[in-house]
Every structure is written in C-alpha cells, then in structure tokens.
Amino acid sequence: MHFSKVYAQLLQDLPPELAENSFQYRELKKLINQIATELLALGLEPTVLHNLLQSEGKGKGKEKETAPTVFYELDTTSGKIEPRLRLWVEPPTSRVEEVGEFEIEGSSSLSSQVSLSSALQRHPEFLSGLRIGSQVEVVIPLTSDSAFFQLLATSLQTLQAHLVTINAQFVRTLVELTKTVSDSARPASSTSSGFRVLSGLKSDAGGVRVGASSAKSDLNAWREIFALYVETEIFESIHERDRGERSVEEAQNRLRKFADRMTARGLKDGHLMKLKQSQDALDCFLQLNVFILNVKKFELANAEATRKILKKRMKRTALPTTDSNNLNSLSLIPVIDGSLPRILVQELGTTLLPIIPSLEDYQCFICMSLAFKPIRLACGHLFCVRCLVKMQKRGNGDCPMCRSPCVLVANRSNVDWAMLNFMRDWFPEEATVKLKQNEREAAQEQLEELGLPEERCIMM
Amino acid sequence: MSLPKASPPHLRRAFVAVHRLTIVISETERLVADPVPGITAAPHDDNLRYFDVTIQGPDGSPFQQGVFKLELFLPEEYPMAPPKVRFLTKIYHPNIDKLGRICLDILKDKWSPALQIRTVLLSIQALLSAPNPDDPLAPDVAKHYKENEADAHRVSREWTQLYASK
Ligand SMILES: [Zn+2]
Ligand SMILES: [Zn+2]
C-alpha cells in the first residue's frame, strides 16, 4: 500500500481534532512532481543531477577543470528557504559540439546537456557574472523546491502549534479531574465524625474532633486504581530489561489490560465505587490515557510522513535535504521530536497520581507493609513498632537502613504521632489490619516464650 | 485480612505464618517481574522459602561464560535473620569453600532486615567480579590467588569450563 493511503487511513482512526492538523502529504507529493519537471527542463534528470552532485569535492586532479560541479544551497537569508543550484560551466554557445565538455564520465546523455545549455540561453539571469578562467558561474533558483520546503515548514509549524494547544487542553482537563478525584477520595478525618487526632501527651484524652461531615469516600477504590495504573506501566517501562518508552502497540495492549483488570476487580461498577462522580472521573481518567495514546500515534505518523516525503523527494529529484556547505541549514523546518506523549504522562504522574498517598511511600522496609504504628529512630528512619520490637529482642541494634546504633535505645518517645495520625487518616483499613496483626503476633510470641506450644493450650 | 477474635490458636498461628509468607511472595513476584540481568531465582513449588538460583559469571572475570547454580533458603525469622545461600556448582574462588559456603559480610554480621534477596544475589555476583583473598574461606585458594594471581585465574577458568559450562 502507498504510504499516502496508509497515512490517510491512520488519520481516519484518530479523533478529528488531531486528524485535521496533520500535514498535507498529497500537496507535498504534487510539489515533488513539479520539482522533477522543473529539473527535467534544465536537463537535470535525477541520474544526471545525482552524478553532478556526487562529483563535488572529488576529482581534485585534472577533471576538476572540466567537470561542472553542482552545489545545492539553501538560502535562508530572506527568512524563507530558497533552494538553488550553483555550478560552473563553459559559457553557453549556440554550438552544440562545445557543450560536450559538460559530460561527466558514464552519466549524462548528450540531449540533456543540450537542454542545460539551451536553458542557460533562455535564462541569462542565471549567470551570476562571475567568471573563473574559461568558466562562468551559474545560479539556478529552484522555485518548486522552495514551495515544497515552504509548505513542509508551514505544515510542521502548524502541527507544532497544535501540539501546544493539545497540551494546554490536556492540562485543563487533568486539573478538573484532579479536583473531582480529591473530592471523592477523601481521608477518614473528613468523612467520619469519630476521627480523633492522637498525641503522645495523653494517650487519647488529648483527642481533637475534626471535620464532621459524614460524606462517603472512594479513597480505597482510587488508591487501588492508581496502584494498578502505576504497576501496569502503560507508556513507559522502568524495568531493567526494557527501560524506556513503549511502542504504540505495546502501550495499547497495556491500556486494554489495565481497563480489563479494573473491570475484573469490580472497580468500574457500583461495587467498589460508591460515588457517581467517581465513576465519571474514572471514565475521564481512561479517556485521558486513550488521548495520550492517540497523540503518540499522531506524532509517530507525522514523523514517519516527514521522513517518507523527504525520501520521496530525494528519489524523484536527486536533490539532497542539506545544503552542500552548511549541514544545519534546515533549522527553519521544525522538528517534531515525539516528546509530547511523554510530557503528558509526566503531567499525569505529577498532578493527579500524588493526591492519594501511596502505600509504597509509607511502608516499613522490614515487613513491607504499612509502618504502623510508626517509630522514628534517632537516625530519622521509620519502621513499624513490631519489627523494631523483634529486632530489640534479637539484640540487633543497628538501623537496617543506615546501620547507626539507635534501635536498642528506641522507646515510646520515638512514636511519630503526626505520622501515626496521618496513617490512620489516609490508610484507615490498612492501619486497622496491621494493628490486629501486631497484636496477634505479640500474643503468639508470649505463648512461645512461656514455652507452651499452642496445641496444648487448646487442651487446657 | 482479618480473623474473628476468638479464633483457635492453631488458626492464629497459621495466619501469622501466612502473613510472613506474603513478604516472601511479594519479593518473589518482584524478582520475576523485574529480573536482574544474569541472575535467575525460582522458588520451589512445594516450599516457597526455598529458591533455585543461577548466577552468570561476570564478564571480565575468570568465571565469565559460566553459569553457577546456588540454593537459597529463607529461614522462618527472615527478614530479621539473613537468607542462607550456598553454591551448588563447584567454583575455584577464595571466598567460597568446598561445600559452597560463601564468605560475605552481609550474609553474616552485616545483615540488615532491609536487605532483600535481590541485594544478596547482586552482592554474590559482585563477589565473583572482585574476589577478596584477604578475607578467605578457602585458605589454599586464597594463598594461590595472593601468590600467583594469573595462575589462580587459570585454574578458576578451568573449573568454570569443567563444572559451570552451560
Ligand atoms: Zn515492619
Ligand atoms: Zn537509620
């Protein structure tokens, strides 16, 4: 299939606001044909031009004087890209025989040399007036090629401007979504009237009542969704094996997998999502991800289209894409580097995801579950009380993270009350589970210390 | 995860055991999901605390191209106590003895409960790159390494080819 068809097909699959701003592949193709016609009129069909451009810099010896060497130049002084050919030839005469001197080893046919010669006679303005020895300098402006670059540059500039708009739109939606999610995933202190702030001064009489609205919260559902989302690594891998950005196909598969897993967990229906606004927000969240995927496809398609059209131009006309003297001359053409999807993923990661504290950031590095109750060692590291008690019993005195000897001296005064309240507020279920677990483990250890196997306890 | 308060002790004990196992399982899952290059670790089906491990000899070391089998066992007290690791493949290395026992500080007095299986295996791989004859477990090998390193490397390479080739 021709790329123009593939490209058109791809754009059809994209949302209209993306597809409308793609660049004019067909128009550019027409211009390539025009360039070819223009060059042909000069006798510069692709094989001829190719050899003329190739001979450049070569043949320092005897051929240098006779072989016309062609330079392709991109003049950008006017702010536009104005391509031209610069070459040195024997002055054009009406006599065909003399023109034979242009001929380059194994390349051109005589007829094309005639064309170049007669073209020069028809266009005396091509002669710059410079003359070295017997040769005159000829400068041929390439008008269709200029139009080609002009259109390409405008297309890409429009595209880039559009990508900026897309980014802004995305951020606006994301900010709205973030508000909705933080409103529906509220911590315990804002939903239950019984939440009391604990402090170390008095064991609980110092409790303070906070915000007594009894609204529902989808905190747990959202936490699970975000954890699942981060784990699925839809757009980027952080693994040793395949670190970096994922392909469109891979991202698409993973996004589908993510949606399937949420359905399987019952996160998309009223089961685990109590609030209507949560369900709407979840839809929006999924749509934003589909949007990122589409932007990824769009950028890829445009990068590919740019590459293809430049390749086609080269093939049909033998004109290079860089100035013979200045390799950076195409700076007027903006480069679509495909970085937008990455930026959008990052925005999502820094705006939306952090509004719900993740368990990973509050886990004890020994037992890998919520560090509850949290004990802050003198060195600053935080662990759950159970793990530290176990370490103390074994006589392990060094902090597991930094090895400073502060485990054995830790006591009640090391409870981090602010952290404890924060954990009860944001991880109410996990904190309760952990507390029960701790009690159970402590009870069992006491039995073991008494030397009573548990089976015998049942008999007693 | 919760049990009724009046659950019988044997159930309670099972519950605690399960909780401890979840640490092991979550670590195992991570190892599978994000494997370390050149290292594999697979738990036994019938005993999730027992792992079959392979470590590839690091490039540039005399153990290059070798694949070494090890066994790793997580004791009941893990992560308070270090895992027990042993080479099953014979290896000519000053810090690994005939029985495959390894002299590595983090497996003994320098163990920290915050270390994980992953860290341990990486340290063992590093030990293959950088043998330490000053802290030997196999005195004869260490002596060889100190007195004629080139010749000791030759023997290490021979053993690698003999016992650890794929
Ligand atoms: Zn802990
Ligand atoms: Zn510390």
Side-chain angles (χ1 to χ4, degrees):
Chain A
M1 219 192 310
H2 278 297
F3 183 73
S4 58
K5 278 190 194 154
V6 179
Y7 186 62
Q9 180 62 47
L10 200 142
L11 293 176
Q12 252 173 29
D13 295 344
L14 288 178
E17 79 272 15
L18 283 182
E20 275 162 20
N21 285 279
S22 55
F23 79 79
Q24 292 126 314
Y25 194 80
R26 279 170 205 282
E27 295 304 311
L28 287 167
K29 235 169 95 178
K30 270 185 212 156
L31 283 171
I32 290 178
N33 289 336
Q34 283 179 31
I35 302 169
T37 317
E38 205 178 300
L39 289 173
L40 205 62
L42 294 167
L44 296 170
E45 57 201 58
T47 42
V48 176
L49 187 57
H50 180 75
N51 283 320
L52 288 173
L53 285 160
Q54 285 303 301
S55 71
E56 173 191 312
K58 278 194 280 176
K60 284 246 157 138
K62 52 185 165 76
E63 279 195 68
K64 182 90 193 212
E65 294 114 52
T66 49
T69 310
V70 175
F71 293 91
Y72 179 71
E73 295 174 350
L74 291 159
D75 180 23
T76 54
T77 43
S78 65
K80 291 180 184 173
I81 301 174
E82 289 177 321
R84 61 191 179 209
L85 292 173
R86 185 186 298 274
L87 57 155
W88 294 86
V89 292
E90 297 296 324
T93 62
S94 50
R95 290 185 305 152
V96 172
E97 308 88 73
E98 284 184 28
V99 189
E101 280 185 69
F102 294 170
E103 197 166 326
I104 292 170
E105 219 179 308
S107 69
S108 47
S109 64
L110 191 65
S111 65
S112 60
Q113 302 307 322
V114 175
S115 297
L116 176 56
S117 173
S118 56
L120 291 179
Q121 283 178 333
R122 273 184 280 118
H123 297 281
E125 73 273 18
F126 288 174
L127 294 165
S128 71
L130 273 179
R131 183 182 277 272
I132 294 178
S134 65
Q135 294 194 317
V136 291
E137 190 194 49
V138 179
V139 179
I140 308 171
L142 300 168
T143 34
S144 296
D145 199 33
S146 177
F148 174 86
F149 277 122
Q150 214 49 57
L151 183 60
L152 184 64
T154 332
S155 287
L156 292 174
Q157 270 154 12
T158 315
L159 201 67
Q160 211 167 44
H162 184 62
L163 292 178
V164 173
T165 321
I166 283 180
N167 194 352
Q169 271 172 5
F170 181 88
V171 169
R172 270 199 302 278
T173 316
L174 184 61
V175 168
E176 277 304 306
L177 176 64
T178 304
K179 272 187 211 148
T180 314
V181 174
S182 50
D183 212 40
S184 42
R186 285 194 274 167
S189 61
S190 72
T191 55
S192 106
S193 51
F195 191 85
R196 283 159 166 269
V197 173
L198 303 180
S199 79
L201 300 174
K202 296 178 215 158
S203 58
D204 99 326
V208 182
R209 277 182 160 245
V210 249
S213 78
S214 57
K216 288 180 191 168
S217 168
D218 282 327
L219 176 61
N220 282 314
W222 278 110
R223 176 170 294 130
E224 199 178 329
I225 290 166
F226 286 177
L228 212 57
Y229 180 74
V230 170
E231 197 188 299
T232 313
E233 295 178 14
I234 296 171
F235 295 103
E236 257 165 75
S237 163
I238 54 161
H239 285 317
E240 208 71 61
R241 232 174 340 155
D242 53 357
R243 190 178 297 282
E245 216 169 330
R246 298 201 188 278
S247 70
V248 168
E249 294 76 29
E250 179 68 15
Q252 195 156 3
N253 286 339
R254 280 174 182 265
L255 185 54
R256 196 171 300 133
K257 198 170 126 199
F258 171 62
D260 289 348
R261 283 173 80 182
M262 283 202 302
T263 315
R265 273 294 288 127
L267 287 163
K268 280 167 121 181
D269 52 38
H271 257 3
L272 294 168
M273 284 277 202
K274 295 169 209 150
L275 302 164
K276 174 78 174 70
Q277 60 174 0
S278 291
Q279 290 176 41
D280 294 345
L282 182 54
D283 273 344
C284 177
F285 179 59
L286 282 173
Q287 273 164 25
L288 278 185
N289 280 286
V290 172
F291 185 76
I292 296 176
L293 191 65
N294 282 334
V295 171
K296 204 174 158 79
K297 285 184 191 170
F298 180 66
E299 283 205 342
L300 216 64
N302 282 308
E304 184 64 5
T306 309
R307 203 181 62 78
K308 287 256 170 158
I309 204 76
L310 287 174
K311 200 175 151 196
K312 192 175 281 285
R313 171 179 162 284
M314 180 92 127
K315 216 172 141 194
R316 288 276 284 116
T317 69
L319 289 175
T321 45
T322 45
D323 190 301
S324 303
N325 310 310
N326 172 14
L327 296 178
N328 300 320
S329 51
L330 277 191
S331 58
L332 279 184
I333 297 183
V335 179
I336 307 293
D337 59 359
S339 63
L340 187 57
R342 243 196 145 131
I343 293 171
L344 299 185
V345 170
Q346 252 172 33
E347 276 162 356
L348 211 147
T350 51
T351 310
L352 177 63
L353 299 185
I355 61 170
I356 299 175
S358 92
L359 189 57
E360 221 170 81
D361 294 335
Y362 297 92
Q363 67 187 7
C364 165
F365 277 104
I366 300 174
C367 61
M368 295 307 201
S369 58
L370 184 70
F372 195 80
K373 296 172 171 182
I375 307 292
R376 178 85 58 191
L377 294 179
C379 60
H381 289 117
L382 190 94
F383 300 94
C384 81
V385 64
R386 246 350 265 152
C387 288
L388 287 177
V389 167
K390 281 188 217 167
M391 286 191 72
Q392 287 185 341
K393 280 190 179 165
R394 295 177 60 94
N396 290 351
D398 296 345
C399 166
M401 302 303 284
C402 66
R403 299 197 195 280
S404 66
C406 48
V407 171
L408 295 179
V409 295
N411 57 35
R412 246 190 98 74
S413 70
N414 287 76
V415 175
D416 187 332
W417 291 98
M419 185 55 86
L420 184 139
N421 285 309
F422 178 88
M423 287 176 172
R424 282 175 61 240
D425 198 10
W426 283 98
F427 301 93
E429 288 183 12
E430 289 85 350
T432 312
V433 168
K434 189 66 188 277
L435 212 57
K436 282 186 186 153
Q437 223 165 52
N438 290 353
E439 282 164 10
R440 217 173 282 129
E441 273 191 36
Q444 198 206 341
E445 272 168 33
Q446 273 172 2
L447 285 176
E448 279 166 8
E449 275 162 25
L450 289 171
L452 299 172
E454 285 175 84
E455 281 77 4
R456 276 182 60 190
C457 290
I458 302 174
M459 316 251 267
M460 280 160 76
Chain B
M1 286 241 289
S2 65
L3 276 178
K5 275 221 170 69
S7 53
H10 69 279
L11 257 189
R12 246 192 281 160
R13 199 172 58 167
F15 188 88
V16 171
V18 165
H19 165 64
R20 287 198 187 133
L21 255 186
T22 52
I23 301 178
V24 175
I25 290 169
S26 70
E27 239 189 273
T28 309
E29 276 172 351
R30 250 197 78 205
L31 273 172
V32 173
D34 194 8
V36 188
I39 296 177
T40 66
H44 277 203
D45 288 338
D46 53 347
N47 185 353
L48 295 177
R49 296 185 169 275
Y50 191 92
F51 289 74
D52 287 326
V53 175
T54 67
I55 296 182
Q56 270 175 35
D59 285 352
S61 76
F63 311 101
Q64 187 173 340
Q65 311 243 300
V67 176
F68 297 87
K69 291 200 175 95
L70 296 88
E71 60 177 7
L72 182 147
F73 181 72
L74 302 176
E76 186 71 9
E77 311 87 75
Y78 178 83
M80 290 301 157
K84 297 188 191 314
V85 199
R86 192 169 75 91
F87 271 81
L88 298 175
T89 307
K90 267 172 79 89
I91 180 167
Y92 195 75
H93 188 291
N95 309 102
I96 301 163
D97 73 4
K98 284 199 186 74
L99 298 172
R101 292 177 301 188
I102 306 162
C103 178
L104 186 61
D105 54 359
I106 62 155
L107 289 175
K108 302 193 169 71
D109 54 323
K110 287 284 166 26
W111 170 252
S112 148
L115 294 176
Q116 298 190 344
I117 302 175
R118 171 184 300 269
T119 349
V120 168
L121 296 181
L122 278 170
S123 303
I124 294 174
Q125 198 180 34
L127 189 66
L128 295 188
S129 293
N132 178 11
D134 292 325
D135 187 16
L137 195 62
D140 44 334
V141 182
K143 192 160 170 274
H144 194 187
Y145 256 77
K146 274 179 127 167
E147 287 172 1
N148 188 347
E149 196 177 354
D151 192 59
H153 277 179
R154 179 188 56 79
V155 178
S156 291
R157 268 196 300 277
E158 273 176 22
W159 281 40
T160 303
Q161 205 151 51
L162 214 53
Y163 304 110
S165 55
K166 282 173 238 183

